[in-house]
Amino acid sequence: MKLLYSIHKYDVFMLIWLINVRMHGSLAKFSRYMSRTGDGPLYLLVAVLLYWQQGIESPLLQAILLGFLIERPIYFIVKNSLKRNRPAAALQNFHSVITPSDQFSFPSGHTSAAFMMATLISYFFPALMIPLYCWAALVGFSRVVLGVHFPTDTLVGVILGISTALFSLGQIIP
């Protein structure tokens, strides 16, 4: 219990520090945009383009589909089993910049999906690795800046996304 309390204290400290940074207003505007890139339509567009270009035989498309078939249920089960309150519900007098789409915060689904996609696409297009991982990190960071996640929510999202991608690649690529 002491470990969980220490982690929670760290999370609250980091979140409050970030919210109180002088440039938070500018960060929040940028973060709204970055967060929207992780909402899902971009992933659907990538899948449709892959299907249009290569058909269902596309190894990347197969890895993406398998990845989401695994990642989404795990994300949903963990989030709804642990039921960690979002910062606005957990902290007195705290208001997030945006209204989250669901009630609980752990893990960050936006971060998980972004890192899964970044990992999968990077495997097939290594030259895009750095920009893709920068984008995924900004999606996760944006969720903290917007006040809908604690830092560890996004950290676990990174782990879930990358792990799911690696597992999917292992199933698709012999």
Side-chain angles (χ1 to χ4, degrees):
M1 284 311 246
K2 283 185 177 185
L3 176 62
L4 289 178
Y5 179 71
S6 296
I7 292 169
H8 180 71
K9 268 180 57 175
Y10 162 79
D11 264 354
V12 171
F13 172 79
M14 291 302 295
L15 177 70
I16 298 301
W17 177 85
L18 185 57
I19 298 300
N20 289 323
V21 161
R22 201 178 280 185
M23 59 187 230
H24 183 261
S26 300
L27 279 175
K29 288 178 186 175
F30 176 71
S31 292
R32 282 177 187 254
Y33 169 76
M34 288 309 302
S35 179
R36 279 191 211 117
T37 67
D39 284 351
L42 182 62
Y43 310 139
L44 183 59
L45 177 64
V46 169
V48 167
L49 288 174
L50 283 167
Y51 182 77
W52 180 61
Q53 288 285 321
Q54 301 174 9
I56 196 67
E57 297 82 25
S58 165
L60 176 54
L61 178 57
Q62 291 176 6
I64 289 170
L65 294 174
L66 179 59
F68 276 114
L69 281 172
I70 296 167
E71 183 269 343
R72 286 289 99 176
I74 291 172
Y75 151 81
F76 183 79
I77 290 168
V78 171
K79 182 168 270 205
N80 290 295
S81 296
L82 297 179
K83 297 182 179 181
R84 183 182 192 186
N85 285 328
R86 291 192 181 269
L91 305 174
Q92 191 174 356
N93 298 320
F94 181 85
H95 302 284
S96 59
V97 176
I98 62 171
T99 302
S101 60
D102 59 20
Q103 183 179 2
F104 303 116
S105 79
F106 184 88
S108 168
H110 277 75
T111 307
S112 177
F115 271 90
M116 186 185 77
M117 287 296 286
T119 303
L120 292 173
I121 296 170
S122 293
Y123 179 83
F124 291 94
F125 302 97
L128 298 177
M129 181 181 290
I130 291 173
L132 284 169
Y133 277 116
C134 287
W135 164 75
L138 287 170
V139 168
F141 180 70
S142 74
R143 304 299 288 169
V144 178
V145 170
L146 295 172
V148 293
H149 283 289
F150 290 104
T152 54
D153 301 338
T154 59
L155 179 62
V156 172
V158 170
I159 295 166
L160 176 59
I162 291 173
S163 299
T164 304
L166 294 175
F167 178 82
S168 298
L169 287 169
Q171 299 306 304
I172 301 299
I173 309 299

